[in-house]
Amino acid sequence: MSTTPPEVMISEDEIRQRVNELAEQISGDYADKGTIVLVGVLKGSFIFLADLSRRLSIPRTIEFIAVSSYGNSSIQSGAVRLVMDVRGNIEGKHVLIVEDIVDTGHTLHYLIGMMASHGPASIKTCALLHKTDSTQIDVPLDYVGFSIRDEWVVGYGLDYAERDRTLPYIGIVHPDDRD
Ligand code: 5GP
């Protein structure tokens, strides 16, 4: 296993600035809608959600949902399984799903369906990262932090085999550095 830190793709400063912009945009869009429910997708979104939620200027509550993909962790088979549903009642509420990264789109597609089954007033989506060349299924993305190329990225909540989640920047794990 290599001990070289992952190469920087998006710096801490760039993330901070973009999260501020997203928070401002979301706060504006929901200004007259009352309290919104931010639904963070575990585990990868926890840092993004923490930063984004604290920068919003609108009333908000927090829920978490957890899913897992069948099969190898770095190859998406398209089959998604619910591990933990939201605890609070989101019926009639404005829901914003907060994802770390959208790759093929299967996870977010599944999550939108799951959330819809709870009967919210609206569902929008926010992803920090979007791998634009990997799309297999089109999902509505209302807010995107950064569009990125198809590399395995870690940091700011994202991991490779549970490593590097707490890196302050988004880094690239090259195939040679994987074990
Ligand atoms: P999708 O269903 O859109 O293909 O994949 C979404 C999920 O795959 C993400 O929530 C994340 O868990 C995982 N994923 C996809 N690409 C990456 C990546 O580059 N790095 C990490 N850490 N997770 C990824």
Side-chain angles (χ1 to χ4, degrees), residues 130-159:
H130 182 206
K131 287 187 186 172
T132 37
D133 295 336
S134 312
T135 307
Q136 287 178 9
I137 180 163
D138 275 321
V139 281
L141 274 175
D142 298 291
Y143 306 99
V144 176
F146 303 91
S147 295
I148 62 167
R149 59 188 185 271
D150 189 11
E151 305 262 19
W152 193 262
V153 289
V154 292
Y156 201 66
L158 293 116
D159 73 314

Side-chain angles (χ1 to χ4, degrees), residues 41-45 67 69 73-78 80 99-109 111 129-131 134 136-137 139 148-155 157-161 163 165 171 178:
V41 186
L42 292 174
K43 299 179 191 172
S45 76
V67 290
S69 308
S73 62
S74 63
I75 299 169
Q76 285 289 307
S77 64
V80 182
E99 252 286 35
D100 51 357
I101 185 164
V102 174
D103 183 5
T104 62
H106 286 290
T107 304
L108 196 54
H109 175 78
L111 286 171
L129 305 170
H130 182 206
K131 287 187 186 172
S134 312
Q136 287 178 9
I137 180 163
V139 281
I148 62 167
R149 59 188 185 271
D150 189 11
E151 305 262 19
W152 193 262
V153 289
V154 292
L158 293 116
D159 73 314
Y160 175 66
R163 291 200 301 264
R165 268 195 210 285
R178 298 179 194 172

Side-chain angles (χ1 to χ4, degrees), residues 19 37-42 44-56 61-64 96-100 128 156:
V19 174
V37 184
L38 301 169
V39 178
V41 186
L42 292 174
S45 76
F46 82 109
I47 294 179
F48 178 41
L49 179 72
D51 284 349
L52 182 72
S53 61
R54 288 179 296 171
R55 291 175 205 170
L56 294 174
T61 60
I62 310 288
E63 291 287 338
F64 286 104
L96 180 63
I97 301 173
V98 179
E99 252 286 35
D100 51 357
L128 178 69
Y156 201 66

